[in-house]
Amino acid sequence: MMRKIGIAFRPHNLLNIQNWLLSSRKILEIRTLSAQASSTTEIGSIDTGAPVENGDSKKNLSKAMKAYLDRAREHDEFMNAQRVEFEIGKRHLANMMGENPETFTQADIDNAIEYLFPSGLYQKHARPIMKPPEEVFPQRKAAEFDETGRPYHFLFYTGRSNFYQVLYDVVEHINEMYKFEDSMTRKNLQPDPMLKLNLSGTEWIAKSALEFRVVETVSDREYNTFVTAMDRLSNMPFAYKVKDFIMEYRVSLMNQSETYDAIKPQIREDGRESVTVYECRRKRAIGNVTVISPGTGKITINGQGISYFEGIQEREQILFPLIFSNMQNKVDIEAEMQNGGPSGQAGAIRYGISWALRSFVDQETMESMRLAGLLTFDIRVRERKKPGQAGARRKFTWKKR
Amino acid sequence: MAAAKGLFAKCQLFKWNIQAISAGIFQNGMAIYPSFYIDPIFRKEVQQELVQSGEIDQYAHLPTKPAANNQTCSLTFDPDISLFTNYLMRDGRKNFARQLVEKSLEQVKRIQLEKFHKCTSEEDKAKIELDPKVIFHRAVTNSMPLLQLMPVKRGGVKYQVPVPVSHHRSRFLGMKWLIEASREKDKKTVRFWTQLARELVDASNNSGRVIRRKQDLHRQCEANKAYAHYRWS
């Protein structure tokens, strides 16, 4: 029992607990929190409703309940102190930055901290921060049981009532779906293909997000259960009927082509625009590629034309992005390549041309170039030979003696 | 400035790739790219089809593998011929292998043109296929076996058991036989591409050494069909 109470802390302020209680269904009639409770010395005590006398309930308090109330009070005091400190710190910071403390927002705080404590640490969460205590200290659950120790939630003894409530809801929806499907089959009706649930571009919320939402720790296995259950629900033919519920647990993915911006073209002496991509690489080859627009399709590689490459394949590779984006006679290409072989050099030039062409094509073409694999940097390189082996992976012929 | 930004963007992209890989969650066998990377859709018409069917949306959020250095959207590109070139290649001499294939396709065209001009009537002329690529595809399809023999040991005796072959394996065997038949040419004076052209034309007409080899295999499979149950028992 003690262990259960241990996790049953309340959140940072009483308003929150009130909200939480209001939102939970059955508790609403049984108990409400008076605003007075916060002003009295007994912060966190739960004011019982009319039927039970105040004095009686205090007498009946179990040790566990007392311990819980103590902890809740301590946590509340701590959070209040932190909040006051944060406010003072914020005002000091605003004064230091010479701004109005009344209108100093969180964004201003972040900027000020970045300015005052410049940090080169790679990990963002390792850099100095100043955030409201609600964000710094982990959220805690509201009271899960009344003063007699009786839990509110019917899944309390699972230890993760909110998480299992989600799974419970999923199963309820699935059962509803089955019933609905049966009734539709009886009427000889098919699901509407126009309304079919489209989940592309979104994914299930991450484990950490789920944990934050249910204010409980969720193990990897439980998270997998959640994903499996949600997948099952969303794969049902009439899943669009519970779209709202499903979409609550989906987050939208970032569009791949929005992950990088095109380079801004420079104006050359002859008035044409040019984009240079420096250090284009592929295998051992390295060099710079310049795309000049408008042009006539002239290609210069190390002072020669496309005949710099003897093989057809290499020439095809140079022309690939140009043909693909319909720019083959609209731009000029200049490339300076070093090291590597023909294949690597051609690959590096192909990458440079594609990367530079983004500045001269529309968003749609850019996306189709990305899908064609032109905008992905090829990170593959020759694997080194290992000692004691004939090659990178090949072993010497094994002889017993 | 633009250059610096470009370099920065490239580094960022690079860094992101490395991060995704070092995560180790999406390990994809020996491949350097994680499993969620999609294969490049490098043909324009394939992309058009995807746009029309609306399937393109599901790729908008997935990163793409870089296109391989023999893949291109050029009209001359043919995936089967590219595969055939790779099967034909020895010691990584891709350019040489490609030359051989191109020369033999040219030779196919010459053979067909010769036949075409020898014909007197329009009807006969219309029957002759002049496109060497079509001849190539026909030849490969005709030389693809349906069954192959697999040795299975039962009671200390090895039985040659006929088993069906997958499409991939069947195509590989057909192409391999075409290459082997051209290498085993009768005279030393005949060049490889000439012989390959002859084999291709023969196979496209359902005759020649490769087709005979396929039929031999089928005949053996037919003879050994009593052992077919050894696949399971």
Side-chain angles (χ1 to χ4, degrees):
Chain A
M1 194 58 209
M2 279 304 288
R3 199 180 63 80
K4 296 288 174 204
I5 293 160
I7 60 157
F9 273 113
R10 28 153 319 165
H12 34 271
N13 65 26
L14 280 160
L15 273 176
N16 268 15
I17 197 170
Q18 204 165 6
N19 288 340
W20 186 83
L21 286 173
L22 283 168
S23 63
S24 52
R25 298 161 219 160
K26 289 167 191 171
I27 307 148
L28 190 62
E29 305 95 56
I30 308 166
R31 54 194 62 259
T32 50
L33 263 175
S34 65
Q36 288 173 333
S38 58
S39 57
T40 54
T41 46
E42 276 184 309
I43 300 167
S45 76
I46 294 161
D47 204 11
T48 51
V52 188
E53 293 289 313
N54 249 0
D56 288 349
S57 67
K58 269 179 194 165
K59 272 178 205 165
N60 292 339
L61 278 181
S62 66
K63 272 187 181 174
M65 195 62 204
K66 265 182 203 153
Y68 158 67
L69 287 175
D70 283 346
R71 275 187 229 178
R73 196 185 61 244
E74 270 171 27
H75 180 249
D76 235 41
E77 281 168 1
F78 172 75
M79 288 305 284
N80 275 332
Q82 290 292 321
R83 220 166 288 129
V84 170
E85 271 183 25
F86 177 75
E87 277 305 315
I88 295 169
K90 187 176 125 185
R91 295 187 78 87
H92 274 307
L93 195 61
N95 288 331
M96 278 162 74
M97 302 304 289
E99 297 202 22
N100 184 4
E102 301 301 328
T103 57
F104 206 58
T105 60
Q106 185 59 43
D108 296 330
I109 296 178
D110 293 342
N111 283 338
I113 293 290
E114 206 181 333
Y115 173 72
L116 293 171
F117 304 99
S119 170
L121 291 175
Y122 177 74
Q123 291 285 336
K124 275 198 174 148
H125 60 256
R127 294 177 194 167
I129 53 160
M130 183 169 159
K131 296 255 191 245
E134 289 82 5
E135 286 177 39
V136 177
F137 300 101
Q139 286 241 10
R140 288 179 173 193
K141 265 184 159 180
E144 289 187 296
F145 44 79
D146 60 13
E147 72 276 15
T148 57
R150 201 181 144 80
Y152 298 139
H153 201 287
F154 76 108
L155 289 169
F156 175 77
Y157 289 106
T158 59
R160 287 157 172 72
S161 49
N162 292 353
F163 172 73
Y164 282 105
Q165 179 69 51
V166 175
L167 291 189
Y168 183 87
D169 290 344
V170 173
V171 174
E172 287 231 306
H173 283 307
I174 289 178
N175 288 340
E176 270 172 36
M177 288 288 107
Y178 278 139
K179 272 184 195 166
F180 185 75
E181 216 179 314
D182 284 349
S183 70
M184 294 303 266
T185 318
R186 252 174 260 128
K187 287 177 205 161
N188 222 348
L189 289 171
Q190 293 292 318
D192 191 350
M194 296 296 288
L195 291 170
K196 198 175 180 295
L197 201 60
N198 181 17
L199 295 180
S200 68
T202 56
E203 63 175 4
W204 296 119
I205 56 169
K207 188 171 151 253
S208 52
L210 182 68
E211 279 178 336
F212 185 79
R213 198 173 290 192
V214 297
V215 207
E216 282 160 4
T217 52
V218 177
S219 71
D220 286 341
R221 208 180 142 186
E222 282 166 335
Y223 178 69
N224 285 343
T225 316
F226 163 76
V227 170
T228 317
M230 291 305 265
D231 272 340
R232 201 173 147 198
L233 176 62
S234 52
N235 284 336
M236 298 189 85
F238 290 97
Y240 57 80
K241 295 205 59 120
V242 285
K243 193 184 173 189
D244 293 341
F245 176 76
I246 291 171
M247 291 323 264
E248 261 181 49
Y249 296 95
R250 305 274 309 176
V251 282
S252 47
L253 289 162
M254 194 178 180
N255 229 335
Q256 276 296 318
S257 55
E258 284 165 17
T259 50
Y260 36 73
D261 296 327
I263 308 162
K264 210 181 159 204
Q266 283 181 325
I267 310 292
R268 281 157 56 99
E269 286 164 7
D270 56 0
R272 296 194 290 171
E273 285 183 329
S274 79
V275 171
T276 309
V277 185
Y278 295 97
E279 291 184 20
C280 304
R281 286 165 192 272
R282 164 96 170 89
K283 290 182 162 183
R284 299 282 297 202
I286 182 167
N288 306 335
V289 177
T290 313
V291 173
I292 308 156
S293 171
T296 52
K298 196 185 171 202
I299 295 170
T300 321
I301 304 160
N302 287 358
Q304 297 177 43
I306 201 166
S307 55
Y308 173 76
F309 292 113
E310 282 170 12
I312 306 290
Q313 183 176 291
E314 284 78 37
R315 297 182 191 179
E316 268 182 1
Q317 284 304 299
I318 306 287
L319 295 174
F320 180 12
L322 295 168
I323 298 170
F324 195 83
S325 55
N326 286 331
M327 299 288 276
Q328 67 266 46
N329 293 324
K330 294 174 192 162
V331 288
D332 285 348
I333 310 292
E334 276 170 20
E336 289 295 326
M337 279 288 147
Q338 284 175 0
N339 305 344
S343 168
Q345 290 195 347
I349 297 175
R350 186 191 84 179
Y351 177 73
I353 294 173
S354 322
W355 200 246
L357 271 181
R358 295 171 312 138
S359 312
F360 304 114
V361 297
D362 56 0
Q363 188 68 36
E364 210 175 300
T365 321
M366 217 201 280
E367 171 65 11
S368 72
M369 277 169 80
R370 186 191 73 75
L371 279 177
L374 287 170
L375 298 179
T376 318
F377 179 69
D378 201 340
I379 50 175
R380 296 172 303 163
V381 284
R382 179 188 164 276
E383 191 175 332
R384 64 156 290 187
K385 184 203 170 293
K386 277 88 176 176
Q389 289 179 202
R393 301 282 166 96
R394 196 196 152 83
K395 316 290 184 296
F396 293 125
T397 314
W398 189 75
K399 272 188 185 167
K400 199 165 184 181
R401 60 187 64 83
Chain B
M1 181 59 208
K5 205 178 166 190
L7 188 64
F8 175 70
K10 196 170 81 178
C11 290
Q12 272 210 322
L13 193 71
F14 189 63
K15 189 175 75 190
W16 187 80
N17 277 342
I18 294 289
Q19 270 183 340
I21 291 152
S22 63
I25 310 160
F26 304 105
Q27 272 290 310
N28 187 14
M30 292 302 239
I32 200 162
Y33 296 104
S35 52
F36 60 84
Y37 270 56
I38 55 164
D39 288 329
I41 311 161
F42 57 94
R43 306 304 308 269
K44 266 186 182 176
E45 25 331 336
V46 179
Q47 279 205 11
Q48 280 299 324
E49 277 169 30
L50 288 176
V51 168
Q52 271 161 16
S53 66
E55 276 174 63
I56 201 107
D57 295 342
Q58 72 194 46
Y59 300 120
H61 309 278
L62 293 169
T64 328
K65 286 178 203 164
N69 64 356
N70 60 349
Q71 291 173 335
T72 160
C73 68
S74 153
L75 287 171
T76 54
F77 178 81
D78 189 310
D80 281 353
I81 291 179
S82 177
L83 189 71
F84 187 76
T85 314
N86 285 352
Y87 287 157
L88 190 135
M89 178 171 69
R90 289 285 176 271
D91 307 328
R93 290 183 294 167
K94 182 74 142 276
N95 265 330
F96 180 56
R98 214 182 140 129
Q99 276 173 23
L100 291 180
V101 173
E102 274 163 13
K103 275 184 180 168
S104 47
L105 290 181
E106 188 192 323
Q107 199 65 32
V108 169
K109 182 89 181 179
R110 282 175 190 281
I111 294 170
Q112 293 301 94
L113 272 176
E114 210 179 327
K115 277 188 202 166
F116 182 81
H117 291 304
K118 269 182 188 169
C119 289
T120 43
S121 67
E122 285 297 316
E123 278 177 32
D124 289 344
K125 277 187 177 179
K127 276 180 197 165
I128 288 168
E129 177 59 59
L130 287 178
D131 189 351
K133 275 190 183 176
V134 175
I135 301 269
F136 171 83
H137 286 293
R138 223 178 261 169
V140 172
T141 325
N142 287 344
S143 37
M144 276 163 66
L146 297 169
L147 292 163
Q148 70 173 27
L149 292 168
M150 194 174 72
V152 173
K153 209 169 182 179
R154 288 281 179 278
V157 185
K158 261 192 189 171
Y159 297 100
Q160 295 293 326
V161 178
V163 292
V165 278
S166 67
H167 178 262
H168 188 265
R169 168 91 183 145
S170 171
R171 188 178 50 183
F172 167 71
L173 285 173
M175 288 184 176
K176 189 181 136 193
W177 291 346
L178 281 167
I179 294 164
E180 279 178 4
S182 328
R183 289 223 167 97
E184 290 165 11
K185 47 195 179 276
D186 313 324
K187 293 172 222 160
K188 281 202 170 174
T189 48
V190 181
R191 303 306 299 245
F192 172 81
W193 63 81
T194 323
Q195 189 61 28
L196 179 57
R198 282 179 200 159
E199 294 295 339
L200 284 174
V201 173
D202 280 353
S204 70
N205 294 329
N206 253 333
S207 61
R209 283 196 282 181
V210 180
I211 300 296
R212 210 181 311 134
R213 190 169 178 182
K214 184 187 87 170
Q215 284 165 349
D216 282 348
L217 180 64
H218 284 176
R219 210 170 295 128
Q220 268 188 319
C221 290
E222 182 68 22
N224 286 7
K225 73 176 173 189
Y227 303 141
H229 67 279
Y230 283 133
R231 268 181 79 201
W232 314 281
S233 57

